[in-house]
Amino acid sequence: MGCSLAAALGVLVHVEVTRQTVATAHEKALGTLHDVSRASEAGEALPRDAGLDPVGLPRTLRALVVSGQRGTYRRDAVGVGWVSG
């Protein structure tokens, strides 16, 4: 019984930490998007790591955006990327 309770509690904690991490990343991304959009509309230079329709944008991510959907692109430490929509 004690092991089952500990396992269930561990799963709940893991799920909540994951949810908080995703929410924080989402808020940060939206803040960055807002700042870059504002700079673009004001005719200011964009930050070095920002771009509008960048050349290196993966085709699958571009297709999602063109179709009106949202997508996520992530590149790992060795440069392998993936896209999800």
Side-chain angles (χ1 to χ4, degrees), residues 59-72 84-85:
R59 287 189 314 267
T60 50
L61 183 56
R62 184 181 311 277
L64 282 172
V65 173
V66 168
S67 70
Q69 299 179 50
R70 287 195 233 180
T72 300
S84 66

Side-chain angles (χ1 to χ4, degrees), residues 35-41 44-52:
D35 294 345
V36 171
S37 295
R38 185 199 49 77
S40 175
E41 290 170 359
E44 299 172 0
L46 298 179
R48 196 170 55 94
D49 60 346
L52 298 174

